[in-house]
Amino acid sequence: MKKFNIRKVLDGLTAASSSSSATAQPGTPRENDVVQETLQSEHFQLCKTVRHGFPYQPSSMAFDPVQKILAIGTQTGALRLFGRAGVECYCQHESNAAVIQLQFLINEGALVSALADDSIHLWNLRQKIPAILHSLKFNRERITYCHLPFQSKWLYIGTERGNIHIVNVESFTLSGYVIMWNKAIELSTKTHPGPVVHISDNPMDEGKLLIGFESGIVVLWDLKCKKADYRYNYDEAIHSVAWHHEGKQFVCSHSDGTLTTWNVRTPAKPAQIITPHGKQPKDGKKPEPCKPILKVEYKTTRAGDPFMVLSGGLSYDTVGRRACLTVMHGKSTAVLEMDYPIVDFLTLCETPYPNDFQEPYAVVVLLEKDLVVIDLGQIGYPIFENPYPLTIHESPVTCCEYFADCPAELIPALYSVGCRQKRQGYSKKEWPISGGNWGQGTQSYPEIIITGHADGSIKFWDASALMLQVLYKLKTAKVFERARGKEEKPNTDIVDEDPFAIQTLSWCPESRMLCVAGVSAHVIVYRFSKQEITTEVVQLLEVRMQCEFSEVDSPDPGGEQTPTLPTPGASSSPQESELPTQPSTGSNSSDGPRDNIPCLQVRSSPLKQSPGNQVELVIQLVWVSGEPPQQITSLAINSSYGLVVFGNSNGLAVVDYLQKTLLFNMGTSELYSPSDPYQRQPRSPRKAKPSGATCDPNDGSNASEDRCRSPTSAKMSRKISSSSEQKTDLEKGGFQRRRIQTCKKQLCCVKRTATARMNLKEDLCRTKSDPIFYARDNSFTRSRSSSVASIDRESREAISSFHFCESFPRKTDSLVSPCLLVGTTHGSVMMVALNLPPSGDQRLQQPVGIASCGTLVKLKGGILTMALLDATGTLLPPFFEQWYDPNASDEEKEKSRKRRSASPPSSQESQDTHFAILCSEKQAKVVALPSQTRIYKHSITETSFVLRADVVQMAGANCITCFCANGHIMTLSLPSLRPLLDVNYLPLTDMRIARTFCFSNLGQALYLTSPTEIQRITYSQETCDNLQEMLSELFTPVETPEAPNRGFFKGLFGGGAQSLDREDLFGETAAGKASRSLAQHIPGPGNMEGMKGAASGVVGELARARIALDERGQKLGELEERTAAMMASAESFSKHAHDMMLKYKDKKWYQL
């Protein structure tokens, strides 16, 4: 067990230490200074848990009608399986080839997948993590279609050459039985029929196989006689074929938008030709051709007309019309428009037997970006309410945050306000995809995921127990006026599209205060209320942040370039220098540059706010002398102090959202103290021209007062134009290099700073990623302004992170007080002291004092996260105010309002009692407070850089978690910074991962693995050990429905469905062996594991025994029917024989 000294032990010693490992300064430990670290490497293990969201780029679909499980394959080789709400599973083919078709072994817990690389795979679904049992790779022919008959072990595979091969799914070996294309078509045919596009057996005769070729030829093949019984020819190409359940008719869909119905015994011409969406000419001519009907399904009902469901087939004059699904039932035709193109659809039926009345009840429609299930049993065909979290990508995700172990009452509160947002008009029936069972894990703490989107919306998700369910959706764009047309679009935008997109957010779960920053340099503060209100005028605060460039080449600590900072006792009150209230009189004429104009216009009409997050204050940065406001790179809110702080490349600003005033507006360079060795003076080849009212921090004693200006009016709407030309070395360039940097509960987009960083880092920031994902490097940071020289742009320093805490702002302090840690992209960490008035009415009337205390420490690389530990190694979270409903009565407010402290204030003067945990892109440091001496340092990476770092709670202790650009995930102990975990998990291939990766408490993390999917992982050994129990179960023992009763006479005289012993036809004895060069058998990685997994456990044993009994009972039932038929036949024969005997008993031979 690691022990370390937390005393102030660095006095008189050198600070040199090895950068390759965590180092501590020697000292004399005392009993009360020793803290024990309980976290060890054994507590950590990294593994994926679950994947949520819509399958990215879907390509195929299948459904098990008995198990009621849906499988979706994608173009990247992924498989997603869905059961009841909360039952999801993800698995991946190693080749990453597109999944072209899926076939369930119905009610057997297995799935066959066919891939675009001409391989087929057998998946075992009887284990919680499905695995491949067998694979077969075709070498000489390309797979185009697969068909697996119900309760058969022989899989038909059609190829591009027009041949059909047969595979035994139990052993995954090829049969010697092959249907060659030249044997199937007529000898007189001179052209190749094309690839096989359809295979199915006659529902009433398993010995007859229907083969559809792309050219329009359909062949009914006799498997026993090995010849074609009938051939059906049509001029148009075939896309799909569907049988009538009686096996006497089938329907084909064609490329000209027609449906042809054929009688099996009449191959000369179709019995019927219809064009569902074609215009019927009055003169009786052939209808105009339409778009291809890509798929048709023909389903019958006992009590009414059959259903014919088809996709495509619209007329060509419907340009721009959305994709449609057509449902034809009797004389009625319903055309259902879809939001996205249709990939595939399946009709769900009551029976799995193809030779019985199908009784369809729903249609599952797989779209490019959605999954829709239509109820066929209700008038108007309403859709079912989808219980899966498939709307993550409803608008592209721009930022993401993860909160584990939240307050217990938070999820019910969010659900109660979110349930009112649900749409109406859904089907009243239960969701039909209802297979599988939930996991039985013991993980029960509340988890919440927050996603910010490009349209300005924010979604709160319940992520508890490895599930995901949307709780509540907030639309931030409602605060602003919307331009109705392109001509109305204001030219003050700093982004070309999505001006409301969320860039970063800060949320306090305890107080439910939410602060959001958007790409248009705006910040919105929200309070949570359970009551609906109407805000007459939205309260607005305009802030003017400007760079003033210096022409000197080096800093002059004694000159006028050094800002005069407030003394510890000085107050930076906005009330001490009152200004008359006036709206911002911005200039946007063509005669001069734009000035004092925000990027978005706040709505002037009353705003109706539903229960949930309600707008408290809107803060907007304004244009300054023709230069657009810089986008906000870091953000934090503290409910206990009533403060919001945000920073960008110009500096930082502190806003009191209770008094609706700007308290502090200072450039980055001015945060350094006059004698600060880390001070950086701005350099620029040009000097910005001051415009409008500005505040110069060098104006002597009135610096702090002039810096913060506020109105004196008590109107409901306060519109404040606070201007300040600050000295800093950052200004927006035409093409900035940005990336995500974070602290525990906020997301920051920060600039790169070093010019000589590795090429990967430059590519990471400069390369545009997937167009669906809105990369901040492109869409979010395109500026219409000019830029300074690139060499100047590289040297700028921006604010990268904040952390509110109660500690010792200065070395001389003996009592803790509220303060703010500020981190920059150049690795500087600075202290800002906060002087808060007493709570109650005084807090709303007296000003908040703010003073910069200079630099605390310097690290390599930009600061990512900061935290505070006490003398016992316990994490000290920021203070917060317990949530209260702002619209409730005053008595209820007073009961619920209370300031929650992390720890009692300390007054020990003889030793350090706090430790600041600081982590940057390159290293981590632990600094003792108030002495401000470094205790530990650890170099995280030399060749790469950290993208995300968080201080999290884990197994009752604390640690730092890091995700590097080279794919490594690492954890460091606190406070000694011992490496506990280092795994090369995910090489960074997409900026989306870098921008959305976030850690949370209790060993949880997530990232956006595709534009539509969230991947959750764990780095906790305990969670990994319990993962099997926590995961949902796909396969459950279900009794197979009884086969349709054939009746006595059909059984006696050979009517009804004809069975076929395929073993006699396709087995090695009858058909011989297939060519070895045709396909290669590959044992799957899950072969033995899958067998063991299925064989282990009481559930597996019971399931297999139950299925064996079902199969045995079914065979016994069939045997009983045959025996009864034979007995009846024997009795009939015996009676006839007895009658004959009586008739001829007494006759002589010559009388016969």
Side-chain angles (χ1 to χ4, degrees):
M1 188 153 308
K2 181 74 177 177
K3 295 185 178 180
F4 65 96
N5 181 17
I6 65 169
R7 287 191 60 202
K8 181 171 55 177
V9 293
L10 294 180
D11 296 339
L13 300 176
T14 63
S17 61
S18 173
S19 64
S20 60
S21 61
T23 57
Q25 297 296 328
T28 305
R30 293 190 337 191
E31 286 295 327
N32 59 346
D33 291 335
V34 175
V35 174
Q36 294 182 342
E37 291 186 6
T38 57
L39 281 181
Q40 303 296 330
S41 299
E42 294 76 24
H43 290 98
F44 296 90
Q45 182 182 346
L46 195 67
C47 69
K48 293 181 180 180
T49 53
V50 290
R51 180 173 294 198
H52 302 295
F54 182 78
Y56 184 54
Q57 296 179 332
S59 57
S60 58
M61 179 172 59
F63 182 71
D64 188 326
V66 180
Q67 288 287 321
K68 297 192 182 300
I69 295 292
L70 182 73
I72 297 176
T74 73
Q75 296 180 23
T76 57
L79 276 182
R80 294 287 300 279
L81 296 113
F82 298 92
R84 66 179 63 188
V87 175
E88 295 182 50
C89 184
Y90 159 78
C91 37
Q92 178 74 40
H93 293 91
E94 288 185 3
S95 65
N96 297 327
V99 181
I100 59 174
Q101 199 172 350
L102 295 170
Q103 289 275 316
F104 271 103
L105 277 68
I106 296 175
N107 203 27
E108 294 186 21
L111 176 71
V112 174
S113 58
L115 272 57
D117 64 354
D118 308 312
S119 62
I120 57 174
H121 308 270
L122 178 65
W123 291 86
N124 177 20
L125 307 182
R126 296 197 179 201
Q127 55 194 80
K128 291 194 172 183
I129 302 178
I132 294 177
L133 297 177
H134 298 282
S135 297
L136 198 63
K137 181 75 166 63
F138 281 74
N139 300 321
R140 297 184 300 186
E141 297 193 54
R142 306 217 64 183
I143 298 173
T144 57
Y145 195 87
C146 299
H147 171 62
L148 181 66
F150 178 46
Q151 295 182 330
S152 170
K153 68 175 183 179
W154 297 96
L155 174 70
Y156 301 102
I157 297 180
T159 68
E160 195 174 37
R161 293 185 182 180
N163 303 325
I164 294 179
H165 302 277
I166 301 168
V167 175
N168 185 328
V169 293
E170 290 181 351
S171 60
F172 246 54
T173 55
L174 274 173
S175 168
Y177 192 112
V178 181
I179 303 175
M180 305 299 292
W181 68 270
N182 54 353
K183 299 289 182 64
I185 66 173
E186 292 179 334
L187 296 176
S188 59
T189 305
K190 297 181 180 180
T191 58
H192 191 279
V196 175
V197 296
H198 179 82
I199 307 171
S200 61
D201 46 358
N202 188 316
M204 286 296 182
D205 189 352
E206 296 176 352
K208 302 297 174 65
L209 198 67
L210 195 70
I211 307 167
F213 296 94
E214 189 180 57
S215 62
I217 300 174
V218 179
V219 176
L220 188 65
W221 181 264
D222 190 321
L223 291 169
K224 290 182 180 179
C225 301
K226 298 183 181 180
K227 67 180 182 65
D229 280 355
Y230 301 102
R231 297 181 179 91
Y232 314 86
N233 292 283
Y234 194 70
D235 296 336
E236 296 295 334
I238 289 177
H239 285 276
S240 69
V241 182
W243 278 101
H244 187 282
H245 84 276
E246 291 180 349
K248 297 177 181 179
Q249 282 186 337
F250 61 87
V251 179
C252 300
S253 69
H254 299 275
S255 58
D256 63 345
T258 59
L259 294 174
T260 57
T261 303
W262 300 81
N263 291 325
V264 171
R265 298 182 182 275
T266 312
K269 65 176 183 178
Q272 185 184 33
I273 302 176
I274 61 172
T275 308
H277 296 284
K279 296 179 180 179
Q280 300 294 335
K282 295 180 180 180
D283 53 3
K285 293 182 179 180
K286 188 177 180 181
E288 295 179 1
C290 295
K291 297 177 183 178
I293 296 177
L294 302 177
K295 185 175 182 179
V296 63
E297 290 199 348
Y298 191 17
K299 303 298 180 182
T300 57
T301 60
R302 293 182 189 276
D305 296 316
F307 282 87
M308 196 172 289
V309 187
L310 55 102
S311 63
L314 298 178
S315 59
Y316 282 101
D317 59 1
T318 56
V319 179
R321 188 173 179 181
R322 293 186 294 184
C324 293
L325 186 81
T326 305
V327 180
M328 302 170 64
H329 183 220
K331 295 182 180 180
S332 68
T333 300
V335 181
L336 310 176
E337 285 195 349
M338 302 293 162
D339 292 334
Y340 305 101
I342 297 174
V343 176
D344 195 5
F345 74 87
L346 293 170
T347 307
L348 308 188
C349 302
E350 296 289 351
T351 177
Y353 294 93
N355 58 353
D356 194 8
F357 286 99
Q358 300 300 291
E359 302 294 346
Y361 60 90
V363 180
V364 181
V365 188
L366 178 63
L367 308 177
E368 283 189 359
K369 295 183 180 180
D370 201 1
L371 181 71
V372 177
V373 182
I374 300 166
D375 186 356
L376 294 179
Q378 292 189 32
I379 299 174
Y381 304 130
I383 65 172
F384 289 87
E385 185 177 5
N386 198 320
Y388 307 137
L390 302 183
T391 59
I392 293 172
H393 65 289
E394 189 174 22
S395 176
V397 177
T398 55
C399 69
C400 191
E401 280 302 314
Y402 190 6
F403 299 85
D405 202 14
C406 300
E409 69 279 1
L410 196 53
I411 290 178
L414 289 168
Y415 180 80
S416 65
V417 298
C419 64
R420 309 181 190 185
Q421 300 175 332
K422 291 187 177 181
R423 289 173 47 192
Q424 302 298 321
Y426 288 113
S427 170
K428 297 179 181 179
K429 297 180 182 178
E430 292 185 0
W431 181 250
I433 306 167
S434 56
N437 284 322
W438 296 319
Q440 303 297 323
T442 57
Q443 180 176 310
S444 59
Y445 48 84
E447 299 173 75
I448 292 178
I449 295 172
I450 304 179
T451 54
H453 299 264
D455 63 353
S457 63
I458 296 174
K459 291 182 181 179
F460 293 78
W461 306 81
D462 178 7
S464 308
L466 296 186
M467 297 185 186
L468 193 68
Q469 179 185 7
V470 66
L471 292 170
Y472 168 63
K473 180 179 179 180
L474 172 66
K475 296 180 180 179
T476 64
K478 294 172 65 175
V479 180
F480 302 101
E481 300 283 0
R482 285 182 178 268
R484 298 183 180 179
K486 291 185 178 179
E487 65 277 357
E488 297 183 27
K489 187 173 183 180
N491 57 357
T492 55
D493 289 355
I494 59 175
V495 289
D496 292 341
E497 55 186 8
D498 297 323
F500 309 111
I502 306 300
Q503 185 152 349
T504 178
L505 59 90
S506 176
W507 187 52
C508 176
E510 291 80 11
S511 66
R512 306 181 193 176
M513 291 295 300
L514 174 67
C515 191
V516 176
V519 295
S520 295
H522 62 273
V523 176
I524 309 176
V525 181
Y526 289 93
R527 282 189 185 273
F528 187 88
S529 174
K530 293 183 178 181
Q531 301 179 24
E532 182 178 295
I533 62 170
T534 299
T535 304
E536 294 298 327
V537 181
V538 176
Q539 302 204 38
L540 172 64
L541 182 68
E542 291 184 351
V543 178
R544 182 182 176 98
M545 298 181 72
Q546 180 179 356
C547 299
E548 180 180 318
F549 292 92
S550 171
E551 294 179 348
V552 298
D553 291 337
S554 60
D556 183 7
E560 292 183 355
Q561 300 297 329
T562 301
T564 302
L565 295 173
T567 61
S571 170
S572 56
S573 167
Q575 307 290 343
E576 294 180 12
S577 175
E578 295 186 352
L579 296 177
T581 302
Q582 57 182 7
S584 60
T585 55
S587 169
N588 195 23
S589 64
S590 58
D591 299 334
R594 289 187 285 269
D595 192 56
N596 283 340
I597 300 173
C599 300
L600 300 175
Q601 182 179 356
V602 175
R603 63 182 295 169
S604 55
S605 58
L607 176 63
K608 182 179 179 181
Q609 303 199 66
S610 302
N613 290 105
Q614 298 173 349
V615 179
E616 175 84 1
L617 176 66
V618 177
I619 307 166
Q620 288 185 290
L621 303 186
V622 296
W623 286 68
V624 178
S625 304
E627 291 290 331
Q630 302 298 295
Q631 290 181 350
I632 293 164
T633 56
S634 54
L635 178 72
I637 188 170
N638 188 282
S639 59
S640 178
Y641 305 156
L643 301 180
V644 168
V645 58
F646 55 91
N648 60 11
S649 56
N650 286 343
L652 73 109
V654 181
V655 171
D656 183 341
Y657 65 78
L658 298 177
Q659 298 185 25
K660 312 295 187 297
T661 56
L662 176 68
L663 300 175
F664 192 70
N665 184 2
M666 181 176 280
T668 311
S669 61
E670 294 180 278
L671 292 173
Y672 294 96
S673 61
S675 59
D676 200 327
Y678 303 118
Q679 182 184 14
R680 299 178 58 89
Q681 201 64 24
R683 297 179 58 189
S684 175
R686 62 188 178 90
K687 193 178 183 75
K689 296 180 180 180
S691 174
T694 61
C695 168
D696 190 348
N698 298 321
D699 269 349
S701 60
N702 292 328
S704 59
E705 290 86 346
D706 292 339
R707 184 180 299 115
C708 312
R709 304 184 176 183
S710 67
T712 57
S713 171
K715 293 181 180 179
M716 285 299 294
S717 172
R718 301 190 188 183
K719 196 171 183 182
I720 305 166
S721 177
S722 178
S723 58
S724 173
E725 289 184 331
Q726 304 293 352
K727 299 174 184 177
T728 183
D729 54 353
L730 283 90
E731 183 180 29
K732 185 166 186 172
F735 191 75
Q736 298 180 4
R737 297 190 299 169
R738 290 178 177 266
R739 70 173 170 74
I740 283 187
Q741 302 209 3
T742 58
C743 72
K744 176 63 191 131
K745 292 185 179 177
Q746 65 191 48
L747 191 69
C748 308
C749 178
V750 193
K751 295 181 182 177
R752 297 276 194 270
T753 54
T755 57
R757 290 191 178 164
M758 45 190 274
N759 293 333
L760 168 64
K761 193 167 186 178
E762 295 194 3
D763 295 340
L764 196 68
C765 302
R766 295 185 180 274
T767 304
K768 185 173 183 178
S769 60
D770 194 308
I772 298 178
F773 180 75
Y774 288 70
R776 293 193 183 92
D777 313 82
N778 302 286
S779 304
F780 286 171
T781 59
R782 278 198 292 268
S783 171
R784 297 195 182 105
S785 66
S786 61
S787 62
V788 296
S790 60
I791 189 170
D792 180 56
R793 187 166 61 243
E794 292 291 347
S795 63
R796 297 170 183 170
E797 186 171 17
I799 305 298
S800 61
S801 62
F802 295 112
H803 182 71
F804 284 102
C805 58
E806 300 222 354
S807 188
F808 306 93
R810 306 167 188 83
K811 287 185 178 181
T812 57
D813 289 342
S814 59
L815 295 175
V816 296
S817 61
C819 54
L820 174 68
L821 286 170
V822 181
T824 73
T825 54
H826 283 181
S828 296
V829 178
M830 289 160 282
M831 274 280 197
V832 176
L834 307 174
N835 184 12
L836 295 169
S839 59
D841 293 339
Q842 296 182 53
R843 173 64 183 86
L844 300 177
Q845 296 173 0
Q846 297 182 15
V848 176
I850 300 179
S852 176
C853 302
T855 305
L856 175 66
V857 71
K858 177 84 172 180
L859 283 76
K860 293 181 181 177
I863 303 299
L864 298 179
T865 189
M866 299 175 286
L868 199 67
L869 300 181
D870 66 6
T872 63
T874 303
L875 188 67
L876 297 176
F879 282 36
F880 60 86
E881 185 178 55
Q882 198 68 33
W883 174 79
Y884 67 94
D885 197 324
N887 301 319
S889 63
D890 294 337
E891 293 181 2
E892 294 179 1
K893 288 182 184 180
E894 290 302 323
K895 288 180 181 178
S896 57
R897 290 186 66 170
K898 54 183 178 179
R899 188 166 177 265
R900 187 67 59 88
S901 172
S903 65
S906 172
S907 60
Q908 299 177 7
E909 300 182 9
S910 59
Q911 61 183 18
D912 292 324
T913 57
H914 284 178
F915 289 89
I917 310 301
L918 313 169
C919 184
S920 72
E921 297 171 315
K922 291 287 187 179
Q923 60 182 191
K925 287 185 179 180
V926 176
V927 177
L929 299 176
S931 66
Q932 299 186 5
T933 53
R934 176 175 59 81
I935 300 298
Y936 285 95
K937 181 179 75 171
H938 177 76
S939 178
I940 299 173
T941 176
E942 294 290 344
T943 59
S944 184
F945 54 93
V946 180
L947 290 165
R948 174 88 189 208
D950 286 298
V951 176
V952 298
Q953 294 179 337
M954 170 85 176
N958 307 299
C959 63
I960 299 179
T961 53
C962 304
F963 173 57
C964 293
N966 59 10
H968 283 251
I969 291 179
M970 292 174 281
T971 61
L972 305 173
S973 69
L974 287 178
S976 67
L977 303 180
R978 286 181 300 112
L980 298 173
L981 175 73
D982 188 352
V983 177
N984 188 3
Y985 168 70
L986 183 72
L988 191 62
T989 56
D990 199 319
M991 275 304 298
R992 182 186 307 104
I993 299 173
R995 290 192 176 94
T996 57
F997 201 106
C998 49
F999 295 98
S1000 189
N1001 292 328
L1002 306 176
Q1004 307 299 324
L1006 64 83
Y1007 58 93
L1008 209 67
T1009 185
S1010 75
T1012 63
E1013 297 169 291
I1014 286 177
Q1015 178 67 57
R1016 293 169 66 178
I1017 62 175
T1018 181
Y1019 49 93
S1020 164
Q1021 177 69 53
E1022 181 183 2
T1023 305
C1024 290
D1025 292 341
N1026 298 327
L1027 187 59
Q1028 281 289 335
E1029 294 181 7
M1030 297 163 62
L1031 290 175
S1032 54
E1033 198 169 14
L1034 287 170
F1035 180 79
T1036 54
V1038 179
E1039 189 173 346
T1040 304
E1042 292 185 5
N1045 190 1
R1046 293 182 295 173
F1048 172 75
F1049 290 104
K1050 287 185 178 180
L1052 179 60
F1053 298 108
Q1058 301 296 315
S1059 60
L1060 172 72
D1061 192 347
R1062 296 184 178 91
E1063 186 69 36
D1064 290 344
L1065 281 177
F1066 307 143
E1068 187 175 327
T1069 304
K1073 292 184 177 181
S1075 171
R1076 291 185 178 181
S1077 61
L1078 180 62
Q1080 177 186 2
H1081 176 259
I1082 306 169
N1087 201 336
M1088 292 305 296
E1089 291 83 352
M1091 297 294 286
K1092 292 176 182 177
S1096 63
V1098 178
V1099 176
E1101 294 288 350
L1102 289 175
R1104 270 201 323 285
R1106 182 70 175 272
I1107 290 169
L1109 286 173
D1110 290 344
E1111 293 173 353
R1112 184 182 178 191
Q1114 185 177 348
K1115 292 178 180 178
L1116 287 174
E1118 293 176 358
L1119 181 61
E1120 187 177 352
E1121 288 182 6
R1122 292 180 183 178
T1123 303
M1126 290 177 66
M1127 287 179 65
S1129 178
E1131 288 179 3
S1132 177
F1133 179 79
S1134 175
K1135 182 179 179 182
H1136 284 292
H1138 185 68
D1139 291 343
M1140 291 286 290
M1141 184 270 294
L1142 293 177
K1143 182 177 180 181
Y1144 298 106
K1145 178 180 179 182
D1146 297 328
K1147 291 187 178 183
K1148 304 295 183 181
W1149 63 271
Y1150 54 83
Q1151 293 175 328
L1152 297 176

